[in-house]
Amino acid sequence: MEEIRNYTMNFGPQHPAAHGVLRLVLEMDGETIVRADPHVGLLHRGTEKLAESKPFNQSIGYMDRLDYVSMMCNEHAYVRAIENLLGIEAPIRAQYIRTMFDEITRILNHLMWVGSNALDLGAMAVFLYAFREREELMDVYEAVSGARMHATYYRPGGVYRDLPEQMSKYRESPWHKGSDLKRLNAWREGSMLDYLTEFTNDFPKRVDEYELLLTNNRIWKQRTVGIGIVDPEKAQAWGMTGAMLRGSGIAWDLRKKQPYAAYDKMDFDIPVGVNGDCYDRYLVRVEEMRQANRIIRQCVDWLKANPGPVMVQNYKVAPPSRVEMKNDMEALIHHFKLFTEGYGVPAGETYAAVEAPKGEFGCYLVSDGANKPFRVHLRAPGFAHLSSMDAFVRGHMLADVVAMIGTYDLVFGEVDR
């Protein structure tokens, strides 16, 4: 009788669930996974080396393009590392703005995750629901930075500019007329903070809608309950962070354990799972959206009551105002020097990390005293998570690999760098 052998199958690299290009080489025994070998590097753009060839400020935009669903959180780690070496601290208003936008980014990330993960597992409607709210928050990104994705809004010493007093409005077009236009602009009559007040009032009902579609859905539970179980010891051994770690029952969150920005002044809870499967990680991320909404509301209330500067008054790292440049030749020189040569950073090394939506995103920065980094190394949560793929899909069916890729919440810009 002829011996039956395992066969090898290429999974990708065009797999649309992967938010990038992942090639998995799967050794299969029929429909069962015997071994999974992830091949990464297909989206490698040399970000760390590029950052070492440019003045510090000119690399902030590279951070947006790593995890291009968690843009401002990536910027936060990088600018915090620079601030550590410079020995400066952003004004308190800028810290609250950063906290607020980190949480806006968390909701943006989790909306993309819940929509795309549901789509991967066969649920179409959730994607459309999630993108409805995502568009509302993308308008906030655009309002402060002019860009809907790659904001480059954070700066060493603060943020690019204060929050706008007016949100842009929809204008009449063949698609938006009369009462429809009035409804669309109802939140946009006041400032951006007024807009966010309306959003935070409305958002919990929207999360209820996602849960109505998924949480007790029989097919969703069949695809996620008991799939990809990660026990707490293995989660720690593999260097997991974020929802991957908290889904296994470990309440580790940098916002609580090593607070930065204004997180020590925020009232919020850390959701944790029990079983460490795909379903628990789904529940953790859904609750994280609710907690992020709480934090945003606290920041909005504080920012409304506390005006102030959003950038350090230091010509070394912050450009002078246009009024100052018109009346002061020295200020004008500082302006040109900052945008052409940048600034020197004292020699030393530092590591700054933030609780990004996908886990701990960190920046290890070494300066030799020049106007550009000597060494930049980025700690991407997705890279650590993907390395555990083989350990947690063995014995599962082929369709479960899709669920596991989805629950890792991978974006290959940061995995490959």
Side-chain angles (χ1 to χ4, degrees), residues 107-267:
I107 292 177
L108 284 171
N109 181 93
H110 289 352
L111 286 174
M112 169 68 89
W113 175 82
V114 76
S116 59
N117 196 22
L119 197 63
D120 295 341
L121 302 186
M124 178 76 191
V126 190
F127 188 84
L128 304 175
Y129 277 62
F131 265 67
R132 176 188 57 193
E133 278 70 66
R134 208 165 180 274
E135 284 301 302
E136 290 169 352
L137 287 180
M138 280 296 185
D139 287 349
V140 177
Y141 254 57
E142 188 175 11
V144 294
S145 70
R148 291 176 69 77
M149 281 184 65
H150 304 312
T152 322
Y153 179 56
Y154 294 6
R155 297 282 192 281
V159 294
Y160 164 54
R161 61 179 177 186
D162 208 345
L163 306 175
E165 287 300 315
Q166 185 68 52
M167 286 292 289
S168 59
K169 293 183 179 179
Y170 287 98
R171 288 177 288 187
E172 188 164 339
S173 72
W175 298 275
H176 300 309
K177 288 185 177 179
S179 61
D180 181 46
L181 198 65
K182 191 173 181 180
R183 178 184 61 79
L184 289 168
N185 287 329
W187 293 2
R188 300 165 182 268
E189 299 300 331
S191 67
M192 189 178 117
L193 291 173
D194 294 328
Y195 177 87
L196 283 169
T197 299
E198 296 291 345
F199 177 86
T200 51
N201 288 338
D202 182 69
F203 188 61
K205 292 181 290 187
R206 303 307 185 186
V207 181
D208 291 342
E209 290 178 357
Y210 315 146
E211 289 219 66
L212 191 65
L213 288 164
L214 291 180
T215 303
N216 292 314
N217 184 304
R218 178 169 53 88
I219 301 171
W220 178 254
K221 291 180 81 170
Q222 285 171 342
R223 294 299 308 273
T224 56
V225 172
I227 302 299
I229 295 173
V230 180
D231 61 58
E233 294 75 23
K234 285 184 180 175
Q236 288 178 300
W238 281 103
M240 290 180 175
T241 52
M244 291 298 298
L245 185 63
R246 293 191 286 274
S248 297
I250 299 176
W252 176 263
D253 190 312
L254 293 179
R255 297 171 296 170
K256 289 277 193 186
K257 304 295 184 184
Q258 299 170 10
Y260 54 95
Y263 281 111
D264 57 338
K265 304 172 184 71
M266 296 292 124
D267 178 27

Side-chain angles (χ1 to χ4, degrees), residues 177-367:
K177 288 185 177 179
S179 61
D180 181 46
L181 198 65
K182 191 173 181 180
R183 178 184 61 79
L184 289 168
N185 287 329
W187 293 2
R188 300 165 182 268
E189 299 300 331
S191 67
M192 189 178 117
L193 291 173
D194 294 328
Y195 177 87
L196 283 169
T197 299
E198 296 291 345
F199 177 86
T200 51
N201 288 338
D202 182 69
F203 188 61
K205 292 181 290 187
R206 303 307 185 186
V207 181
D208 291 342
E209 290 178 357
Y210 315 146
E211 289 219 66
L212 191 65
L213 288 164
L214 291 180
T215 303
N216 292 314
N217 184 304
R218 178 169 53 88
I219 301 171
W220 178 254
K221 291 180 81 170
Q222 285 171 342
R223 294 299 308 273
T224 56
V225 172
I227 302 299
I229 295 173
V230 180
D231 61 58
E233 294 75 23
K234 285 184 180 175
Q236 288 178 300
W238 281 103
M240 290 180 175
T241 52
M244 291 298 298
L245 185 63
R246 293 191 286 274
S248 297
I250 299 176
W252 176 263
D253 190 312
L254 293 179
R255 297 171 296 170
K256 289 277 193 186
K257 304 295 184 184
Q258 299 170 10
Y260 54 95
Y263 281 111
D264 57 338
K265 304 172 184 71
M266 296 292 124
D267 178 27
F268 66 102
D269 301 316
I270 302 174
V272 293
V274 177
N275 302 313
D277 57 11
C278 289
Y279 187 68
D280 270 17
R281 292 188 282 272
Y282 155 75
L283 293 175
V284 164
R285 288 185 174 108
V286 168
E287 183 57 28
E288 279 187 12
M289 286 197 280
R290 296 187 191 275
Q291 296 302 321
N293 197 59
R294 277 178 68 189
I295 296 171
I296 293 167
R297 186 53 183 267
Q298 292 170 63
C299 291
V300 166
D301 293 342
W302 189 93
L303 289 165
K304 281 184 175 180
N306 295 274
V310 297
M311 192 71 182
V312 291
Q313 301 302 304
N314 181 343
Y315 283 168
K316 180 177 181 179
V317 296
S321 71
R322 291 184 180 275
V323 174
E324 290 173 301
M325 283 192 290
K326 285 180 180 177
N327 300 316
D328 185 349
M329 179 57 74
E330 188 179 349
L332 187 65
I333 293 168
H334 276 296
H335 170 87
F336 283 113
K337 189 171 175 62
L338 177 65
F339 285 104
T340 54
E341 296 178 22
Y343 45 82
V345 170
E349 61 182 311
T350 188
Y351 176 77
V354 299
E355 188 64 40
K358 292 174 171 61
E360 180 181 328
F361 181 87
C363 177
Y364 172 66
L365 198 62
V366 181
S367 172

Side-chain angles (χ1 to χ4, degrees), residues 11-24 39 42-43 68-69 116-117 120 358 386 389 401-402 404-406 408-416:
F11 188 95
Q14 293 87 4
H15 186 55
H19 298 286
V21 274
L22 167 67
R23 178 185 177 218
L24 274 179
H39 287 222
L42 297 166
L43 199 62
Y68 35 78
V69 193
S116 59
N117 196 22
D120 295 341
K358 292 174 171 61
L386 183 62
M389 172 69 77
V401 176
V402 178
M404 203 61 196
I405 291 173
Y408 278 146
D409 195 9
L410 297 167
V411 162
F412 279 85
E414 68 166 16
V415 173
D416 296 342

